[in-house]
Amino acid sequence: MENFDFYSPTEFVFGKDRENETGKYVKKHGGSKVLIHYGGGSVKRSGLLERVQASLDQEKIEYVLLGGVKPNPRSGLVYEGIEICKTEKVDFILAVGGGSTIDSAKAIAAGTVYDGDFWDFYMGKRIEKALPVGTVLTIAAAGSEGSPDSVITKEEGMFKRGASGDAIRPKFSILNPALTQTLPPFQTAAGITDIMAHLYERYLTNTKEVEVTDRLIEGLLLTMIHEGPRVIADPDNYEVRANIMWAGMMAHNNSCGVGRSQDWNSHNIEHELSALYDCAHGAGLAVTLPAVFTYVMDHDVMRFAKAAVRVWGCEMDFDHPEVTAKEGIERLRRFFISIGMPKNFE
Ligand code: NZQ
Ligand code: ZN
């Protein structure tokens, strides 16, 4: 195992109706003037935004609103958010929505306290300082509720790039699985795919003897394989939604990735594709993941065979481990298709 630092200060507030406590957590984490950031309208239609506002009103916390975040969030709205925060003297950013809204909120948080162009962070500069961010999550997918990352698309040139820094890890994240029951099946499936990609890309490592994180990843992948088809068949099942939501957080706050090298090629390729074609991140991954795995399999056949046996229940072919490895990749591909993901870019 390699040396590592792991800092994960986010307070997770999990369960039914917990969004009604948002005001209390904003106050606890020092917010007095808040930017509430949200997406294209799902939080208005579900009544969530109203409940969050009521919770802030109850604590007498002032706020301004900025909606309109698009999936694959754009830099234009980030610049707008930074201006609002400076003019209104905002001291806390609250993201109500999915990974795109949270990532846009993180970019605004970093950009507001930075003299230069916030895009510098997406060109490689590490984020050292940011306004505090809190989240009310509405989709289990990107894991941004617990991650130190943000991914933004710059319209000029259509560059989709990531920025990182512990300063943008959320101070708190409210996770009510019931909020994900309004997701269209396609978005639920795209979220499942993204969660599995975050696990797989950590599983693919050159680091030897990392059994503890291998086993954590395998357990989470088995959970997704069990719960994925169940949630598609029974979208209102709270318990299934709860397992998926917590798995989504665990998959990407890096507790499963510490002390080992990781392989983010499928994600990097998908980011280019979603920048160019604006496809849903998870749907893009359903195509790139099995394709990249097939391409790189020979680099470490035994690792792919291990996943095939432990995660997919394949029988190990000791004479021809590449047959087992291939079968595991094929089962992954078929799983994505079975939950409604595309098999190619047509
Ligand atoms: O915009 P609204 O109206 O809210 O609709 C959204 C959006 O259309 C909808 N939605 C979300 N919750 C809903 C809902 N509809 C009904 N009911 C609900 N409860 O779902 C659509 C997708 O939302 P989005 O926020 O884009 O989804 P996701 O969480 O998958 O985020 C994707 C973004 O995260 C980035 C991706 O690249 C992509 O830009 N990633 C961020 C990461 C990070 N920060 O750590 C890591 C990931 O690997 C990923 O790259
Ligand atoms: Zn992802």
Side-chain angles (χ1 to χ4, degrees), residues 214-227:
D214 273 359
R215 287 296 191 184
L216 282 171
I217 295 170
E218 289 161 10
L220 287 162
L221 280 170
L222 285 164
T223 304
M224 298 309 295
I225 292 165
H226 185 253
E227 301 294 48

Side-chain angles (χ1 to χ4, degrees), residues 156-334:
E156 306 85 55
M158 295 310 276
F159 295 113
K160 189 175 186 186
R161 295 286 182 269
S164 270
D166 284 328
I168 56 167
R169 281 199 193 251
K171 299 294 173 215
F172 71 83
S173 280
I174 296 183
L175 275 57
N176 173 0
L179 296 178
T180 66
Q181 288 168 347
T182 55
L183 280 166
F186 178 82
Q187 291 296 344
T188 297
I192 290 167
T193 306
D194 193 17
I195 293 168
M196 291 177 73
H198 296 159
L199 293 164
Y200 254 104
E201 297 211 72
R202 289 182 165 88
Y203 200 75
L204 299 183
T205 185
N206 290 322
T207 315
K208 304 291 176 214
E209 303 274 357
V210 280
E211 194 64 6
V212 61
T213 38
D214 273 359
R215 287 296 191 184
L216 282 171
I217 295 170
E218 289 161 10
L220 287 162
L221 280 170
L222 285 164
T223 304
M224 298 309 295
I225 292 165
H226 185 253
E227 301 294 48
R230 288 181 76 203
V231 77
I232 298 299
D234 185 12
D236 291 333
N237 188 321
Y238 176 86
E239 300 304 335
V240 174
R241 291 275 186 194
N243 280 314
I244 293 174
M245 199 169 212
W246 193 240
M249 199 298 295
M250 293 281 291
H252 203 49
N253 84 333
N254 210 30
S255 44
C256 301
V258 292
R260 55 196 290 153
S261 66
Q262 304 175 11
D263 177 353
W264 290 93
N265 281 317
S266 302
H267 258 75
N268 289 336
I269 293 169
E270 195 293 321
H271 283 170
E272 296 302 327
L273 292 167
S274 52
L276 288 172
Y277 303 111
D278 205 17
C279 59
H281 174 59
L285 286 167
V287 178
T288 60
L289 222 57
V292 172
F293 291 177
T294 305
Y295 186 70
V296 301
M297 196 189 83
D298 290 343
H299 172 70
D300 189 351
V301 165
M302 290 313 285
R303 184 139 277 274
F304 282 98
K306 183 173 170 177
V309 172
R310 288 187 176 183
V311 176
W312 296 101
C314 301
E315 203 171 316
M316 183 66 190
D317 183 336
F318 289 98
D319 294 328
H320 301 287
E322 72 282 1
V323 172
T324 314
K326 261 189 203 153
E327 195 185 332
I329 298 169
E330 190 48 34
R331 293 226 194 159
L332 175 70
R333 189 198 312 269
R334 286 206 300 263

Side-chain angles (χ1 to χ4, degrees), residues 8-284:
S8 177
T10 307
E11 180 168 12
F12 294 102
V13 181
F14 193 98
K16 288 177 185 159
D17 301 327
R18 303 301 302 270
E19 66 275 15
N20 296 326
E21 298 170 56
T22 309
K24 187 175 90 186
Y25 286 97
V26 170
K27 195 177 234 178
K28 178 173 173 183
H29 291 280
S32 61
K33 179 82 186 268
V34 177
L35 177 80
I36 303 180
H37 202 32
Y38 60 95
S42 74
V43 299
K44 279 190 169 174
R45 290 192 293 280
S46 65
L48 172 63
L49 185 62
E50 222 169 279
R51 294 203 294 286
V52 166
Q53 286 178 255
S55 167
L56 296 193
D57 289 339
Q58 209 174 347
E59 298 292 339
K60 302 194 171 23
I61 297 169
E62 283 182 55
Y63 53 82
V64 285
L65 293 161
L66 179 63
V69 181
K70 291 185 179 149
N72 303 318
R74 313 299 150 94
S75 60
L77 197 67
V78 173
Y79 288 114
E80 205 180 308
I82 292 170
E83 269 319 298
I84 295 173
C85 287
K86 286 182 176 167
T87 322
E88 298 281 339
K89 303 203 176 351
V90 162
D91 60 13
F92 196 97
I93 318 280
L94 180 66
V96 185
S100 296
T101 296
I102 299 173
D103 285 3
S104 184
K106 287 173 171 178
I108 294 170
T112 301
V113 295
Y114 177 62
D115 286 336
D117 182 347
F118 94 92
W119 191 250
D120 293 347
F121 299 121
Y122 295 77
M123 295 302 288
K125 191 179 169 70
R126 192 141 186 99
I127 299 175
E128 305 286 356
K129 226 174 110 194
L131 288 180
V133 175
T135 85
V136 181
L137 184 66
T138 62
I139 173 172
S144 190
E145 67 276 14
S147 84
D149 310 316
S150 159
V151 186
I152 300 290
T153 299
K154 195 165 182 64
E155 293 87 336
E156 306 85 55
M158 295 310 276
F159 295 113
K160 189 175 186 186
R161 295 286 182 269
S164 270
D166 284 328
I168 56 167
R169 281 199 193 251
K171 299 294 173 215
F172 71 83
S173 280
I174 296 183
L175 275 57
N176 173 0
L179 296 178
T180 66
Q181 288 168 347
T182 55
L183 280 166
F186 178 82
Q187 291 296 344
T188 297
I192 290 167
T193 306
D194 193 17
I195 293 168
M196 291 177 73
H198 296 159
L199 293 164
Y200 254 104
E201 297 211 72
R202 289 182 165 88
Y203 200 75
L204 299 183
T205 185
N206 290 322
T207 315
K208 304 291 176 214
E209 303 274 357
V210 280
E211 194 64 6
V212 61
T213 38
D214 273 359
R215 287 296 191 184
L216 282 171
I217 295 170
E218 289 161 10
L220 287 162
L221 280 170
L222 285 164
T223 304
M224 298 309 295
I225 292 165
H226 185 253
E227 301 294 48
R230 288 181 76 203
V231 77
I232 298 299
D234 185 12
D236 291 333
N237 188 321
Y238 176 86
E239 300 304 335
V240 174
R241 291 275 186 194
N243 280 314
I244 293 174
M245 199 169 212
W246 193 240
M249 199 298 295
M250 293 281 291
H252 203 49
N253 84 333
N254 210 30
S255 44
C256 301
V258 292
R260 55 196 290 153
S261 66
Q262 304 175 11
D263 177 353
W264 290 93
N265 281 317
S266 302
H267 258 75
N268 289 336
I269 293 169
E270 195 293 321
H271 283 170
E272 296 302 327
L273 292 167
S274 52
L276 288 172
Y277 303 111
D278 205 17
C279 59
H281 174 59

